[in-house]
Amino acid sequence: MKSPEGIAADMIPTGRPSLGAEELNAIKEVLESGMIVQGPKVAAFEKAFAEYVGVKNAVAVNSGTAALHVALIAVGVKPGKEVVVPPITFIATASTVLMCGGQPTFADVEKDLYTMDPRDAKKALSPRTKVIIPVHLYGQAADMDPLLELAREKGLVVLEDAAQAHGAVYKGRKAGSMGDAACFSFYATKTMTTAEGGMVVTNDDEIARKCRLLRDHGQESKYEHVILGYNYRMTEVAAALGLVQLKRLDNFITRRRQNAAILTNGLSGIGSVTPPVEGPDRLHTYYQYILRLEQDFPCSREDLINKLGAEGIASKPSYPVPLYRQKALKGKVRARKCKVAEEVLPRLLELPVHPLVPRNGLETAVAVIRSTAGQ
Ligand SMILES: Cc1ncc(COP(=O)(O)O)c(C=O)c1O
């Protein structure tokens, strides 16, 4: 048996979904009903998710990538338009811009938070800029107020990429409720899952209407296609899973925060490692626990991964390179060198923090890192 990311069963993996009897029963009920494609469960999941985030509309789709794709089209990204994205994120944040014919460009991240630096976002703007996508990275919201202010000043759209930040909070507001629209992912290792799935949320009825059309071949009613669209529909099976997982979400977050606190307390006082920082007025949900090894850490990241692995703890680098260096994006983006991302990425390390990590696994991780650091 392997975890969703292919890690052997005797290791504590960096990601593992928490699925139990309630999820099993919910799926069974859908299968027995015979109604397995987009229907009442999807509608109920959309309603519950919109309420949770605190927005008017939610549109369920079959991945976070699909959510970004339809949302970007709905807000008007097309050839000739630029979209500002951060260099530390999953490729879908930028590839979906290209899928619309737009061009991604990059704004650097803040050193300790790893989310988009609003000062560099301002520098990244051009007369063609249409949208800013702050990514709420690793479970923590980007610094939204200055980004929203910048967008207001320049007449830009803010699309939150909240794929990693279900339940995260910024100044009392939930991730996904602050921009013109936001996108979530329910991939297997996300803080809550539908196996694969995604959601667009927005207070804007017109954006929501366009997303609904785009996910279903532009159908307004059966076989009446008013625009060209896609098949990005969510299944009833996925929505049934989502309804159960959403009920459990706050408990998942509590567990992740408790696990993160054990790691951070255990690692405190080691000068050569920097645990994740919870920014001011934020609630970090620790979708990922990302440690930074400083220049004076006595061994390489690879060696530390091997030492942790020998004790049954999986760990892995975060994204390998700033996104603009990915082969698939070469020549297609307006590259801007992002100094902070270049500097921190080779030193970031993900440790397991999900709700199924046992306490002794956290303690072992701390002990291995402390002893490697000579503490
Ligand atoms: C920041 C970010 N954006 C977008 C996505 C895309 O979501 P999905 O994998 O559900 O297509 C992901 C998830 O992997 C992500 O982490």
Side-chain angles (χ1 to χ4, degrees):
M1 244 258 284
K2 289 192 167 181
S3 75
E5 306 216 306
I7 290 160
D10 54 350
M11 292 273 261
I12 296 173
T14 48
R16 171 167 285 173
S18 175
L19 301 166
E22 221 187 321
E23 282 84 354
L24 211 55
N25 288 336
I27 289 177
K28 190 164 172 274
E29 189 198 308
V30 169
L31 295 184
E32 284 171 354
S33 78
M35 176 67 206
I36 57 176
V37 296
Q38 188 182 294
K41 290 280 181 204
V42 170
F45 183 36
E46 289 176 336
K47 185 166 180 288
F49 198 79
E51 272 165 22
Y52 181 85
V53 176
V55 291
K56 202 168 157 203
N57 306 286
V59 182
V61 288
N62 53 20
S63 72
T65 305
L68 283 165
H69 190 197
V70 295
L72 284 165
I73 298 173
V75 301
V77 174
K78 56 186 179 201
K81 302 291 181 193
E82 270 182 17
V83 177
V84 180
V85 304
I88 305 186
T89 181
F90 185 61
I91 192 167
T93 314
S95 60
T96 48
V97 174
L98 290 161
M99 284 158 67
C100 306
Q103 189 173 45
T105 191
F106 295 85
D108 208 348
V109 297
E110 299 194 77
K111 168 99 191 248
D112 286 330
L113 304 176
Y114 312 126
T115 49
M116 186 182 279
D117 181 343
R119 287 159 304 179
D120 204 52
K122 190 168 185 179
K123 292 184 195 152
L125 301 183
S126 85
R128 295 183 300 281
T129 309
K130 172 85 186 167
V131 179
I132 301 175
I133 309 186
V135 176
H136 303 318
L137 194 73
Y138 305 141
Q140 171 152 258
D143 191 7
M144 288 300 289
D145 276 351
L147 290 167
L148 291 166
E149 181 56 36
L150 178 64
R152 216 174 0 251
E153 241 174 62
K154 306 283 182 189
L156 306 173
V157 171
V158 174
L159 176 60
E160 295 170 71
D161 184 339
Q164 305 186 0
H166 321 70
V169 181
Y170 173 88
K171 298 189 181 174
R173 289 168 281 167
K174 283 249 170 71
S177 69
M178 295 173 274
D180 297 280
C183 297
F184 288 85
S185 163
F186 305 118
Y187 175 67
T189 56
K190 293 289 191 275
T191 309
M192 60 171 282
T193 186
T194 62
E196 297 275 9
M199 192 80 83
V200 181
V201 299
T202 178
N203 284 316
D204 184 316
D205 293 342
E206 187 51 23
I207 294 175
R209 190 185 75 83
K210 283 187 187 152
C211 291
R212 281 181 203 288
L213 286 173
L214 286 162
R215 79 167 164 191
D216 189 21
H217 287 296
Q219 288 194 92
E220 214 151 48
S221 56
K222 191 72 180 167
Y223 297 142
E224 194 201 340
H225 305 274
V226 293
I227 57 169
L228 290 178
Y230 304 86
N231 175 0
Y232 283 164
R233 295 182 303 261
M234 179 178 270
T235 67
E236 288 287 273
V237 179
L241 267 178
L243 279 164
V244 177
Q245 289 268 299
L246 182 58
K247 274 199 298 182
R248 301 178 61 197
L249 176 59
D250 284 340
N251 286 337
F252 289 154
I253 293 170
T254 302
R255 253 326 271 281
R256 284 175 179 273
R257 287 179 59 79
Q258 285 166 349
N259 289 349
I262 292 169
L263 290 170
T264 296
N265 291 338
L267 296 169
S268 70
I270 313 177
S272 56
V273 302
T274 304
V277 173
E278 187 167 41
D281 265 327
R282 314 271 211 292
L283 182 108
H284 196 321
T285 60
Y286 296 98
Y287 162 60
Q288 291 181 352
Y289 186 94
I290 302 289
L291 199 65
R292 189 170 74 227
L293 306 180
E294 301 303 348
Q295 307 286 8
D296 55 347
F297 190 74
C299 79
S300 71
R301 182 170 64 175
E302 209 45 47
D303 285 347
L304 181 59
I305 290 172
N306 290 334
K307 281 174 198 253
L308 286 162
E311 299 301 324
I313 312 290
S315 61
K316 60 181 187 347
S318 183
Y319 302 103
V321 287
L323 201 50
Y324 50 81
R325 287 183 187 277
Q326 288 283 351
K327 192 173 163 198
L329 300 182
K330 281 256 168 72
K332 298 190 173 78
V333 301
R334 182 163 71 85
R336 289 180 72 247
K337 193 162 183 202
C338 295
K339 246 180 80 192
V340 179
E342 298 270 354
E343 188 207 319
V344 298
L345 270 176
R347 300 192 276 120
L348 299 184
L349 183 70
E350 180 189 354
L351 298 177
V353 74
H354 56 83
L356 300 179
V357 184
R359 191 182 175 107
N360 64 357
L362 302 166
E363 287 164 355
T364 303
V366 166
V368 171
I369 296 165
R370 287 202 82 89
S371 78
T372 307
Q375 302 272 317

